[in-house]
Amino acid sequence: MAFAAQIEGLTGDLIAALTQTRPSANDKGFLRTRDAALRAFKTHKFLRTNHFEVEKSLIGLQERFRVNNRDSLADELKARLDSLPEHPFKWYPETLHLLLELSDQPTYNTRLGNIARLDANDDGRPQLRWEDIAREDGWAQDLDIWDSINYSDESGDEIFEGGAGEESDANSNFGGDAPPGRTAEDLIIHPENNEALKAVIKQQEWKQEEPTQDPNGRAHKIGLSEMQALREVLFMLQGLRTTLFDANGAPDPAFQVSNIAWQTHKSLLIAFSEAGGYISILRRFASQREKEPQLQALQDCVTERVRVLDRYLVRIQERLANPAEQVVVSLIAAKEELTPVLEPLFKLSGVILKVQQNPTSDNFRYLELLFDESSMAQLTGNQLLYEFLARIFLECFTVYLREIRSWVEEGRLLPSDEAFFIYNGAKDVPLGGIWQHRFKLRRTEDGQLLAPKFVHPAADKIYTTGKSIVILRLLGRLKVEDTLRGDREQILTYESICPPGFESAPFPDLFNMALGQWIDRKYTAVSSALKTAIFDECGFEAALQALHSVYLMSDGAAAASFCERLFAKLDAKDANWHNRRALTTSAQEAFAGTVEASRLSVNVDAAESHQVSATEARNSVVAALPLIQVVYRAEWPVQMILNEQSTAHYQSIFTFALQMKRSAYALHKAKLLDDLRSEGEADDAEMAARDLFYAARSSLVWFCDTLQTYLATVVLIPQTARMRRELRAAPDVDGMMAAHARCTKRMIDQLCLGAKLEPLRDALLEVLDLGIQLEYARAKHGRMAVVDGDGDDSMSGGNDGYIVVLRQIKADFVRLVRFICTALRSVARAISGENAARWDVLADMLQPGHGEEM
């Protein structure tokens, strides 16, 4: 109604603005107009196209045309849009919007020629075209009409004079051709000074010579000067084709430097040839087309180092071609001069060659090779080679570092990071499982981390930092992320890693320290922020207290309320004792003052529970109670800390505590006052049976109380306090998860619930079962004359059968307690540590139960 009233008021204002009147409340014409407009608004199903948006789109289309150098097309569009007001039409916005929706890349697919054909004035008369004229006059058959005319020098008035002509077609090839009317002979330049040309030709004559033979048929070498040989060597090192070396860089044996012995000549050229082979590997690699960013970074580094070599070779050529002082040309001297420049390139080409020989290797394999070669060069004391390779390694590592930086600062994986050691494992995961299941570490088949080996020491912190950023973003804590994104300094350069004075420090140590310090800054800030958010904003300690109240039964009153309702159903042999909804309601009502009821539920294994009869569920602590599972759904940031293993440990402790309370509940059903009232009516046999019963009951109650005391005071209270301390001291979420898992594991071990202590746990449960058997025997004895509804007549025989059962319970109790104490001390002696000390304490606490008297 409020919306309708608002529409009515706005419609009245609109009519008043259009009619320029001030309507009154009794103006019938105004009311009729307003009602008609309202009816039109209400019955109108479709809205008109927003002409402002259409106009904005058309203006944007014009700008796109001009950005893509289609100014003529933009002008044509503007001219036609400007002419639209001259032809009024109601549906212009809808029509133009439809055309915009139907358009397919108009910037690239529209041709101005199509627009010209649309604008042509078609009056029905035939139009004159050049094609028709050429067909009628025979131009198409006369091919000689297009031949160039050779004008003579005498006919100067007919020579073509280039002048200002009309604008040529956009596709014409203008600027490089000779003017029409000239031939190639007209462009020949006849040099006036032939001496310089003759000198050059003479210097190159050795290239055209053919080997001659002596009378014995042996071929003579073609001689060349050392200057000419050095020139060829420098050209070959620059990657140019030469005569002295073939296409593969091998020296041609037909040539020999005139003033050098053949062996010396051969040795020098082979050395230069090998150097050229190494340099050619670098040049070929730099000219390849690589798609991976990491290999492109290596290509860039190789290209830059080859460019430095070329500049050095050019300076040598300048010194020889235009000497400022007397220069001695020597291949040996040139070799000595080039060796310090070429040796680092030899190592670099070796790295490239290893990468190319194994194309299936990881993209970061060359980084590991550069890292190893840099370390080895430093160990051998070659400082120049060490610095050369270390700089290349750090420049290439910058590209790999970009992926690490994106992960640790923004929590994002780059689209091109298929080789990155972190990948997106599963997208559709609940919030509580993001930390463990969303992102995974990429590993090889043998379990090795798929990352450069020098990154392995910091890999865990890198992994944790990025996940923490993701969680912080989900929690809305963006301030830390913005701070980290602003830290864009170049942190891994040669100057920052190897400052002056640290030349002797091992390069791996310097690199690991620099990378570790940078990662530690990110890791510490992010982990601290996330930990603070979990504790302060997500209520982690309150959730932990709720978990302990439910699973560890730290709230005794709430736990007793839930247990008594459950045990009453078991004693009554209720067939629906396993009803999940009833158990959940009972648990929520019992723990309502401790935890949020909506987060608590109780599940029962339906398949297993239907196989357990009501009698079996009543008579044993191991038949039905392990099927009951309590589920407490904490907030998702808290669920990250509670992994599946910890939850299973909590469930095991809950089941064990439930079994102890079940036995104690059965033992406390017997009332001593009831027996005292009927003491005068009991005979001697009855009194003897009562003595045995209360003796057995006293021992079993003592055992249950002792076990409950050990559970609460020796195990749970110290371990929960320790858990809180370790969780506070944990550096990150992984540390909190590990601390929580360690504490729950210690609880399981100290309570003898571990897999290795299964016989000991079974013995404890058998003792707890004795309490239920004792109470069941007493109840049967109280109904001596009535046969049990189960048809169980094992108690027939009066007091004699009852006493036999009591004595059997006594014997079983003594045997089991003796076994438990002996096993605890044996296990404690076998191992050492905190758990062994706890087991010794439990053995000492149960020691009085060894006696034969009950």
Side-chain angles (χ1 to χ4, degrees):
M1 296 298 292
F3 178 73
Q6 185 180 6
I7 291 295
E8 183 178 345
L10 293 175
T11 305
D13 295 340
L14 177 61
I15 295 173
L18 294 175
T19 58
Q20 298 294 325
T21 60
R22 292 183 179 180
S24 62
N26 299 325
D27 190 346
K28 295 183 179 180
F30 170 78
L31 294 177
R32 285 195 301 270
T33 305
R34 186 190 65 183
D35 294 339
L38 286 174
R39 285 194 300 271
F41 289 159
K42 292 178 181 180
T43 57
H44 189 63
K45 298 181 180 180
F46 306 101
L47 297 178
R48 290 290 305 274
T49 301
N50 189 343
H51 66 281
F52 296 108
E53 291 293 335
V54 174
E55 183 179 358
K56 182 178 179 181
S57 300
L58 292 171
I59 293 175
L61 185 60
Q62 296 181 44
E63 294 179 355
R64 191 180 307 125
F65 288 161
R66 299 188 187 279
V67 169
N68 289 276
N69 201 21
R70 303 295 303 274
D71 293 337
S72 299
L73 187 59
D75 294 338
E76 293 290 341
L77 176 60
K78 185 176 184 302
R80 281 155 177 75
L81 290 176
D82 293 341
S83 63
L84 287 181
E86 301 176 0
H87 309 281
F89 182 55
K90 178 180 179 180
W91 304 106
Y92 270 144
E94 284 75 11
T95 305
L96 294 175
H97 182 262
L98 175 62
L99 294 177
L100 286 173
E101 292 296 325
L102 294 176
S103 63
D104 179 21
Q105 296 184 344
T107 306
Y108 306 102
N109 296 335
T110 305
R111 298 290 180 267
L112 285 174
N114 299 334
I115 299 176
R117 284 198 297 270
L118 292 175
D119 292 341
N121 184 14
D122 189 4
D123 54 1
R125 295 180 299 175
Q127 298 181 359
L128 183 63
R129 299 184 304 166
W130 284 109
E131 291 83 356
D132 299 332
I133 297 174
R135 190 183 307 108
E136 293 176 2
D137 295 344
W139 294 359
Q141 291 76 20
D142 188 6
L143 299 179
D144 295 336
I145 194 174
W146 304 111
D147 291 345
S148 300
I149 301 175
N150 185 9
Y151 295 96
S152 63
D153 292 338
E154 288 77 8
S155 58
D157 55 339
E158 296 179 357
I159 295 178
F160 174 80
E161 296 291 342
E166 296 182 355
E167 183 178 352
S168 62
D169 185 65
N171 295 327
S172 64
N173 186 11
F174 177 76
D177 297 338
R182 283 190 171 184
T183 63
E185 296 177 356
D186 299 331
L187 302 178
I188 296 176
I189 300 176
H190 300 281
E192 299 179 356
N193 184 9
N194 293 328
E195 298 299 328
L197 178 60
K198 291 179 180 179
V200 172
I201 293 175
K202 185 175 182 180
Q203 289 290 331
Q204 304 298 326
E205 284 181 352
W206 63 274
K207 296 183 178 182
Q208 308 298 330
E209 293 183 14
E210 295 292 337
T212 60
Q213 295 182 349
D214 58 8
N216 297 327
R218 292 180 301 179
H220 288 287
K221 305 292 183 182
I222 300 175
L224 70 159
S225 66
E226 199 163 359
M227 182 68 176
Q228 294 170 335
L230 181 57
R231 176 179 176 274
E232 294 287 296
V233 167
L234 295 178
F235 283 179
M236 182 269 298
L237 293 177
Q238 287 181 299
L240 304 176
R241 297 183 61 181
T242 62
T243 305
L244 191 57
F245 300 91
D246 60 16
N248 296 324
D252 192 342
F255 299 95
Q256 179 181 355
V257 179
S258 301
N259 59 341
I260 297 180
W262 170 247
Q263 293 299 331
T264 304
H265 167 87
K266 181 179 178 181
S267 176
L268 286 173
L269 290 190
I270 290 177
F272 284 119
S273 175
E274 292 176 352
Y278 285 117
I279 303 303
S280 64
I281 294 175
L282 299 179
R283 295 186 187 277
R284 285 196 300 270
F285 176 75
S287 62
Q288 292 176 359
R289 186 178 183 84
E290 297 289 348
K291 297 181 180 179
E292 296 295 334
Q294 298 176 19
L295 295 179
Q296 291 175 353
L298 180 59
Q299 278 186 318
D300 183 68
C301 292
V302 170
T303 302
E304 179 60 29
R305 269 59 184 187
V306 172
R307 188 180 296 115
V308 171
L309 172 65
D310 290 341
R311 288 197 292 263
Y312 189 80
L313 296 175
V314 169
R315 287 196 295 271
I316 295 177
Q317 294 175 359
E318 289 178 353
R319 188 176 70 242
L320 296 176
N322 187 19
E325 55 186 12
Q326 187 176 2
V327 177
V328 177
V329 178
S330 172
L331 289 175
I332 297 177
K335 181 176 178 297
E336 294 296 329
E337 182 181 0
L338 289 172
T339 297
V341 182
L342 295 176
E343 279 187 352
L345 296 176
F346 297 165
K347 286 291 183 181
L348 181 58
S349 62
V351 171
I352 301 299
L353 194 59
K354 290 179 181 178
V355 173
Q356 293 178 339
Q357 288 175 349
N358 189 9
T360 60
S361 61
D362 301 317
N363 291 336
F364 53 79
R365 173 59 180 162
Y366 76 93
L367 286 174
E368 295 180 335
L369 294 174
L370 288 172
F371 186 81
D372 294 339
E373 291 293 343
S374 302
S375 304
M376 186 58 64
Q378 186 186 33
L379 289 176
T380 57
N382 193 338
Q383 185 64 26
L384 294 178
L385 178 59
Y386 159 61
E387 182 177 350
F388 177 83
L389 295 175
R391 289 184 180 275
I392 294 178
F393 164 74
L394 293 174
E395 291 176 12
C396 295
F397 182 70
T398 302
V399 177
Y400 192 84
L401 186 65
R402 182 179 60 187
E403 299 177 350
I404 298 177
R405 186 189 292 273
S406 174
W407 173 248
V408 301
E409 292 182 353
E410 302 179 10
R412 292 185 175 89
L413 298 173
L414 298 179
S416 60
D417 58 0
E418 295 182 358
F420 193 47
F421 65 92
I422 301 173
Y423 68 98
N424 199 336
K427 295 183 179 180
D428 299 331
V429 295
L431 291 176
I434 289 179
W435 186 272
Q436 292 181 284
H437 305 295
R438 176 71 179 275
F439 302 101
K440 299 290 185 179
L441 290 175
R442 186 175 276 112
R443 299 184 181 276
T444 59
E445 295 180 356
D446 55 355
Q448 296 293 326
L449 185 66
L450 191 63
K453 59 184 179 181
F454 48 81
V455 179
H456 288 189
D460 289 337
K461 289 187 177 180
I462 294 172
Y463 181 49
T464 301
T465 304
K467 291 195 296 182
S468 300
I469 287 290
V470 174
I471 301 300
L472 283 173
R473 185 184 296 113
L474 293 175
L475 292 175
R477 296 290 300 271
L478 298 178
K479 293 183 179 179
V480 174
E481 182 185 355
D482 294 339
T483 302
L484 293 176
R485 190 185 295 116
D487 183 16
R488 293 295 185 183
E489 75 281 1
Q490 186 71 18
I491 48 95
L492 293 180
T493 61
Y494 181 81
E495 288 73 15
S496 62
I497 293 179
C498 307
F502 286 82
E503 289 80 7
S504 300
F507 178 70
D509 295 343
L510 294 175
F511 175 80
N512 291 334
M513 181 177 65
L515 180 61
Q517 289 176 351
W518 179 70
I519 294 297
D520 284 342
R521 291 198 300 271
K522 312 289 184 183
Y523 166 80
T524 302
V526 173
S527 300
S528 177
L530 179 57
K531 184 179 172 183
T532 302
I534 291 176
F535 273 97
D536 298 342
E537 299 180 8
C538 301
F540 177 74
E541 289 188 337
L544 191 65
Q545 181 62 38
L547 283 171
H548 293 172
S549 299
V550 175
Y551 287 102
L552 307 185
M553 297 187 181
S554 61
D555 189 345
S561 176
F562 170 73
C563 293
E564 289 175 358
R565 297 181 187 181
L566 173 62
F567 299 156
K569 290 184 178 181
L570 294 177
D571 288 341
K573 295 194 292 187
D574 188 350
N576 293 325
W577 67 268
H578 50 73
N579 185 276
R580 183 178 63 86
R581 293 184 179 179
L583 290 175
T584 299
T585 302
S586 177
Q588 290 177 350
E589 292 177 356
F591 292 96
T594 305
V595 301
E596 187 177 345
S598 61
R599 297 185 179 276
L600 182 63
S601 63
V602 180
N603 297 329
V604 180
D605 191 336
E608 296 290 338
S609 62
H610 288 293
Q611 298 179 5
V612 179
S613 65
T615 303
E616 292 175 341
R618 183 194 65 178
N619 294 340
S620 176
V621 298
V622 298
L625 298 183
L627 303 179
I628 300 175
Q629 297 180 350
V630 177
V631 178
Y632 179 76
R633 295 177 295 275
E635 294 185 1
W636 71 265
V638 180
Q639 292 179 14
M640 295 190 305
I641 313 300
L642 308 176
N643 54 25
E644 296 178 358
Q645 183 181 9
S646 300
T647 304
H649 290 165
Y650 275 129
Q651 183 60 44
S652 299
I653 298 172
F654 172 81
T655 301
F656 186 63
L658 192 64
Q659 290 167 333
M660 286 193 300
K661 289 186 177 296
R662 171 58 177 155
S663 182
Y665 177 83
L667 291 171
H668 285 85
K669 291 185 69 175
K671 305 299 180 182
L672 181 60
L673 292 177
D674 296 339
D675 291 337
L676 290 177
R677 294 189 185 99
S678 61
E679 185 175 0
E681 303 174 358
D683 54 10
D684 294 339
E686 179 66 21
M687 293 301 296
R690 289 182 181 182
D691 292 342
L692 285 175
F693 170 77
Y694 281 107
R697 178 182 179 276
S698 176
S699 297
L700 290 170
V701 169
W702 165 82
F703 181 85
C704 291
D705 291 344
T706 302
L707 197 58
Q708 180 65 36
T709 302
Y710 173 78
L711 171 71
T713 61
V714 180
V715 178
L716 296 184
I717 293 177
Q719 289 302 326
T720 52
R722 182 176 180 179
M723 178 187 294
R724 289 186 173 87
R725 292 194 303 270
E726 292 186 2
L727 287 172
R728 277 290 183 182
D732 53 27
V733 172
D734 284 330
M736 295 175 66
M737 294 172 58
H740 187 265
R742 284 196 306 270
C743 291
T744 55
K745 183 63 168 60
R746 283 194 292 264
M747 293 179 187
I748 290 293
D749 292 338
Q750 293 174 13
L751 291 176
C752 306
L753 302 179
K756 296 182 179 179
L757 300 179
E758 186 174 356
L760 190 57
R761 180 192 60 190
D762 293 341
L764 291 172
L765 296 179
E766 287 185 31
V767 176
L768 297 178
D769 265 342
L770 292 177
I772 299 179
Q773 294 175 15
L774 181 65
E775 171 57 24
Y776 177 61
R778 186 193 67 81
K780 292 282 287 186
H781 178 65
R783 301 189 302 270
M784 289 282 294
V786 180
V787 179
D788 192 339
D790 293 336
D792 186 0
D793 57 354
S794 61
M795 293 299 298
S796 62
N799 287 335
D800 293 339
Y802 182 42
I803 291 175
V804 170
V805 172
L806 293 178
R807 287 176 178 174
Q808 183 62 43
I809 291 175
K810 168 189 173 181
D812 290 343
F813 176 81
V814 173
R815 175 180 57 82
L816 290 172
V817 172
R818 183 180 291 113
F819 169 78
I820 291 171
C821 292
T822 304
L824 285 171
R825 297 194 186 280
S826 300
V827 175
R829 285 194 300 269
I831 63 174
S832 60
E834 181 182 352
N835 294 339
R838 296 293 187 274
W839 294 330
D840 277 331
V841 171
L842 180 58
D844 292 339
M845 295 174 69
L846 296 177
Q847 187 66 36
H850 288 189
E852 296 293 336
E853 298 297 332
M854 294 183 65

PDB file of all heavy atoms in Angstrom, residues 771-790:
ATOM      1  N   GLY A 771      29.761 -53.961  36.520  1.00  0.00           N
ATOM      2  CA  GLY A 771      28.815 -53.152  37.289  1.00  0.00           C
ATOM      3  C   GLY A 771      27.393 -53.345  36.806  1.00  0.00           C
ATOM      4  O   GLY A 771      26.444 -53.442  37.613  1.00  0.00           O
ATOM      5  N   ILE A 772      27.203 -53.394  35.477  1.00  0.00           N
ATOM      6  CA  ILE A 772      25.861 -53.617  34.937  1.00  0.00           C
ATOM      7  C   ILE A 772      25.385 -55.038  35.250  1.00  0.00           C
ATOM      8  O   ILE A 772      24.217 -55.266  35.605  1.00  0.00           O
ATOM      9  CB  ILE A 772      25.851 -53.346  33.420  1.00  0.00           C
ATOM     10  CG1 ILE A 772      26.237 -51.890  33.144  1.00  0.00           C
ATOM     11  CG2 ILE A 772      24.494 -53.658  32.826  1.00  0.00           C
ATOM     12  CD1 ILE A 772      26.288 -51.537  31.682  1.00  0.00           C
ATOM     13  N   GLN A 773      26.300 -56.008  35.140  1.00  0.00           N
ATOM     14  CA  GLN A 773      25.931 -57.385  35.451  1.00  0.00           C
ATOM     15  C   GLN A 773      25.530 -57.539  36.910  1.00  0.00           C
ATOM     16  O   GLN A 773      24.585 -58.275  37.241  1.00  0.00           O
ATOM     17  CB  GLN A 773      27.096 -58.316  35.116  1.00  0.00           C
ATOM     18  CG  GLN A 773      27.421 -58.391  33.649  1.00  0.00           C
ATOM     19  CD  GLN A 773      28.652 -59.234  33.365  1.00  0.00           C
ATOM     20  OE1 GLN A 773      29.104 -59.992  34.243  1.00  0.00           O
ATOM     21  NE2 GLN A 773      29.198 -59.115  32.157  1.00  0.00           N
ATOM     22  N   LEU A 774      26.235 -56.847  37.802  1.00  0.00           N
ATOM     23  CA  LEU A 774      25.910 -56.925  39.220  1.00  0.00           C
ATOM     24  C   LEU A 774      24.513 -56.373  39.494  1.00  0.00           C
ATOM     25  O   LEU A 774      23.711 -56.984  40.224  1.00  0.00           O
ATOM     26  CB  LEU A 774      26.960 -56.168  40.030  1.00  0.00           C
ATOM     27  CG  LEU A 774      26.777 -56.181  41.548  1.00  0.00           C
ATOM     28  CD1 LEU A 774      26.932 -57.592  42.091  1.00  0.00           C
ATOM     29  CD2 LEU A 774      27.787 -55.240  42.219  1.00  0.00           C
ATOM     30  N   GLU A 775      24.206 -55.236  38.917  1.00  0.00           N
ATOM     31  CA  GLU A 775      22.882 -54.652  39.123  1.00  0.00           C
ATOM     32  C   GLU A 775      21.805 -55.527  38.483  1.00  0.00           C
ATOM     33  O   GLU A 775      20.703 -55.701  39.036  1.00  0.00           O
ATOM     34  CB  GLU A 775      22.849 -53.243  38.532  1.00  0.00           C
ATOM     35  CG  GLU A 775      21.468 -52.607  38.500  1.00  0.00           C
ATOM     36  CD  GLU A 775      20.820 -52.525  39.873  1.00  0.00           C
ATOM     37  OE1 GLU A 775      21.558 -52.520  40.893  1.00  0.00           O
ATOM     38  OE2 GLU A 775      19.581 -52.476  39.942  1.00  0.00           O
ATOM     39  N   TYR A 776      22.095 -56.114  37.343  1.00  0.00           N
ATOM     40  CA  TYR A 776      21.133 -56.989  36.691  1.00  0.00           C
ATOM     41  C   TYR A 776      20.886 -58.233  37.538  1.00  0.00           C
ATOM     42  O   TYR A 776      19.732 -58.697  37.689  1.00  0.00           O
ATOM     43  CB  TYR A 776      21.656 -57.383  35.310  1.00  0.00           C
ATOM     44  CG  TYR A 776      20.779 -58.340  34.565  1.00  0.00           C
ATOM     45  CD1 TYR A 776      19.472 -58.011  34.225  1.00  0.00           C
ATOM     46  CD2 TYR A 776      21.244 -59.610  34.211  1.00  0.00           C
ATOM     47  CE1 TYR A 776      18.665 -58.898  33.536  1.00  0.00           C
ATOM     48  CE2 TYR A 776      20.436 -60.502  33.528  1.00  0.00           C
ATOM     49  CZ  TYR A 776      19.152 -60.143  33.197  1.00  0.00           C
ATOM     50  OH  TYR A 776      18.348 -61.025  32.515  1.00  0.00           O
ATOM     51  N   ALA A 777      21.956 -58.790  38.160  1.00  0.00           N
ATOM     52  CA  ALA A 777      21.804 -59.958  39.034  1.00  0.00           C
ATOM     53  C   ALA A 777      20.966 -59.602  40.254  1.00  0.00           C
ATOM     54  O   ALA A 777      20.121 -60.406  40.712  1.00  0.00           O
ATOM     55  CB  ALA A 777      23.173 -60.481  39.449  1.00  0.00           C
ATOM     56  N   ARG A 778      21.167 -58.455  40.844  1.00  0.00           N
ATOM     57  CA  ARG A 778      20.382 -58.047  42.018  1.00  0.00           C
ATOM     58  C   ARG A 778      18.909 -57.902  41.649  1.00  0.00           C
ATOM     59  O   ARG A 778      18.011 -58.330  42.403  1.00  0.00           O
ATOM     60  CB  ARG A 778      20.918 -56.709  42.550  1.00  0.00           C
ATOM     61  CG  ARG A 778      20.256 -56.264  43.859  1.00  0.00           C
ATOM     62  CD  ARG A 778      20.585 -54.820  44.147  1.00  0.00           C
ATOM     63  NE  ARG A 778      19.982 -53.926  43.168  1.00  0.00           N
ATOM     64  CZ  ARG A 778      18.698 -53.522  43.225  1.00  0.00           C
ATOM     65  NH1 ARG A 778      17.907 -53.915  44.198  1.00  0.00           N
ATOM     66  NH2 ARG A 778      18.228 -52.722  42.284  1.00  0.00           N
ATOM     67  N   ALA A 779      18.658 -57.260  40.458  1.00  0.00           N
ATOM     68  CA  ALA A 779      17.260 -57.100  40.051  1.00  0.00           C
ATOM     69  C   ALA A 779      16.605 -58.450  39.789  1.00  0.00           C
ATOM     70  O   ALA A 779      15.429 -58.666  40.137  1.00  0.00           O
ATOM     71  CB  ALA A 779      17.197 -56.220  38.802  1.00  0.00           C
ATOM     72  N   LYS A 780      17.330 -59.384  39.231  1.00  0.00           N
ATOM     73  CA  LYS A 780      16.775 -60.722  38.988  1.00  0.00           C
ATOM     74  C   LYS A 780      16.494 -61.448  40.290  1.00  0.00           C
ATOM     75  O   LYS A 780      15.474 -62.141  40.417  1.00  0.00           O
ATOM     76  CB  LYS A 780      17.760 -61.533  38.143  1.00  0.00           C
ATOM     77  CG  LYS A 780      17.933 -61.033  36.727  1.00  0.00           C
ATOM     78  CD  LYS A 780      16.803 -61.436  35.829  1.00  0.00           C
ATOM     79  CE  LYS A 780      16.890 -62.899  35.511  1.00  0.00           C
ATOM     80  NZ  LYS A 780      15.876 -63.313  34.515  1.00  0.00           N
ATOM     81  N   HIS A 781      17.414 -61.263  41.249  1.00  0.00           N
ATOM     82  CA  HIS A 781      17.215 -61.934  42.531  1.00  0.00           C
ATOM     83  C   HIS A 781      15.993 -61.368  43.253  1.00  0.00           C
ATOM     84  O   HIS A 781      15.294 -62.104  43.972  1.00  0.00           O
ATOM     85  CB  HIS A 781      18.458 -61.761  43.404  1.00  0.00           C
ATOM     86  CG  HIS A 781      18.331 -62.370  44.762  1.00  0.00           C
ATOM     87  ND1 HIS A 781      18.190 -63.732  44.972  1.00  0.00           N
ATOM     88  CD2 HIS A 781      18.281 -61.803  46.007  1.00  0.00           C
ATOM     89  CE1 HIS A 781      18.091 -63.972  46.249  1.00  0.00           C
ATOM     90  NE2 HIS A 781      18.136 -62.811  46.914  1.00  0.00           N
ATOM     91  N   GLY A 782      15.713 -60.080  43.070  1.00  0.00           N
ATOM     92  CA  GLY A 782      14.552 -59.489  43.705  1.00  0.00           C
ATOM     93  C   GLY A 782      13.254 -59.987  43.100  1.00  0.00           C
ATOM     94  O   GLY A 782      12.190 -59.828  43.703  1.00  0.00           O
ATOM     95  N   ARG A 783      13.323 -60.576  41.911  1.00  0.00           N
ATOM     96  CA  ARG A 783      12.123 -61.106  41.259  1.00  0.00           C
ATOM     97  C   ARG A 783      12.258 -62.620  41.086  1.00  0.00           C
ATOM     98  O   ARG A 783      12.051 -63.166  39.999  1.00  0.00           O
ATOM     99  CB  ARG A 783      11.933 -60.442  39.896  1.00  0.00           C
ATOM    100  CG  ARG A 783      11.791 -58.924  39.959  1.00  0.00           C
ATOM    101  CD  ARG A 783      11.395 -58.350  38.616  1.00  0.00           C
ATOM    102  NE  ARG A 783      12.361 -58.698  37.574  1.00  0.00           N
ATOM    103  CZ  ARG A 783      13.413 -57.954  37.271  1.00  0.00           C
ATOM    104  NH1 ARG A 783      13.645 -56.834  37.938  1.00  0.00           N
ATOM    105  NH2 ARG A 783      14.222 -58.334  36.312  1.00  0.00           N
ATOM    106  N   MET A 784      12.658 -63.303  42.176  1.00  0.00           N
ATOM    107  CA  MET A 784      12.944 -64.745  42.104  1.00  0.00           C
ATOM    108  C   MET A 784      11.732 -65.544  41.601  1.00  0.00           C
ATOM    109  O   MET A 784      11.882 -66.510  40.866  1.00  0.00           O
ATOM    110  CB  MET A 784      13.345 -65.273  43.488  1.00  0.00           C
ATOM    111  CG  MET A 784      14.720 -64.805  43.945  1.00  0.00           C
ATOM    112  SD  MET A 784      16.042 -65.716  43.173  1.00  0.00           S
ATOM    113  CE  MET A 784      15.788 -67.332  43.857  1.00  0.00           C
ATOM    114  N   ALA A 785      10.584 -65.117  41.988  1.00  0.00           N
ATOM    115  CA  ALA A 785       9.413 -65.910  41.654  1.00  0.00           C
ATOM    116  C   ALA A 785       8.862 -65.597  40.265  1.00  0.00           C
ATOM    117  O   ALA A 785       7.948 -66.262  39.793  1.00  0.00           O
ATOM    118  CB  ALA A 785       8.314 -65.695  42.702  1.00  0.00           C
ATOM    119  N   VAL A 786       9.358 -64.565  39.652  1.00  0.00           N
ATOM    120  CA  VAL A 786       8.810 -64.151  38.363  1.00  0.00           C
ATOM    121  C   VAL A 786       9.862 -64.401  37.287  1.00  0.00           C
ATOM    122  O   VAL A 786      11.021 -64.002  37.450  1.00  0.00           O
ATOM    123  CB  VAL A 786       8.401 -62.660  38.380  1.00  0.00           C
ATOM    124  CG1 VAL A 786       7.828 -62.261  37.033  1.00  0.00           C
ATOM    125  CG2 VAL A 786       7.403 -62.427  39.497  1.00  0.00           C
ATOM    126  N   VAL A 787       9.489 -65.056  36.248  1.00  0.00           N
ATOM    127  CA  VAL A 787      10.429 -65.317  35.151  1.00  0.00           C
ATOM    128  C   VAL A 787      10.650 -64.033  34.360  1.00  0.00           C
ATOM    129  O   VAL A 787       9.697 -63.297  34.084  1.00  0.00           O
ATOM    130  CB  VAL A 787       9.879 -66.424  34.240  1.00  0.00           C
ATOM    131  CG1 VAL A 787      10.831 -66.689  33.081  1.00  0.00           C
ATOM    132  CG2 VAL A 787       9.654 -67.691  35.055  1.00  0.00           C
ATOM    133  N   ASP A 788      11.880 -63.780  34.001  1.00  0.00           N
ATOM    134  CA  ASP A 788      12.225 -62.553  33.264  1.00  0.00           C
ATOM    135  C   ASP A 788      11.510 -62.531  31.928  1.00  0.00           C
ATOM    136  O   ASP A 788      11.315 -63.568  31.281  1.00  0.00           O
ATOM    137  CB  ASP A 788      13.734 -62.508  33.037  1.00  0.00           C
ATOM    138  CG  ASP A 788      14.184 -61.144  32.550  1.00  0.00           C
ATOM    139  OD1 ASP A 788      13.344 -60.402  32.020  1.00  0.00           O
ATOM    140  OD2 ASP A 788      15.380 -60.825  32.698  1.00  0.00           O
ATOM    141  N   GLY A 789      11.101 -61.327  31.557  1.00  0.00           N
ATOM    142  CA  GLY A 789      10.413 -61.165  30.264  1.00  0.00           C
ATOM    143  C   GLY A 789      11.250 -61.625  29.097  1.00  0.00           C
ATOM    144  O   GLY A 789      10.731 -61.920  28.029  1.00  0.00           O
ATOM    145  N   ASP A 790      12.532 -61.736  29.278  1.00  0.00           N
ATOM    146  CA  ASP A 790      13.408 -62.197  28.199  1.00  0.00           C
ATOM    147  C   ASP A 790      13.459 -63.715  28.124  1.00  0.00           C
ATOM    148  O   ASP A 790      14.149 -64.283  27.266  1.00  0.00           O
ATOM    149  CB  ASP A 790      14.828 -61.665  28.391  1.00  0.00           C
ATOM    150  CG  ASP A 790      14.880 -60.174  28.234  1.00  0.00           C
ATOM    151  OD1 ASP A 790      13.999 -59.608  27.554  1.00  0.00           O
ATOM    152  OD2 ASP A 790      15.799 -59.585  28.795  1.00  0.00           O
TER     153      ASP A 790
END
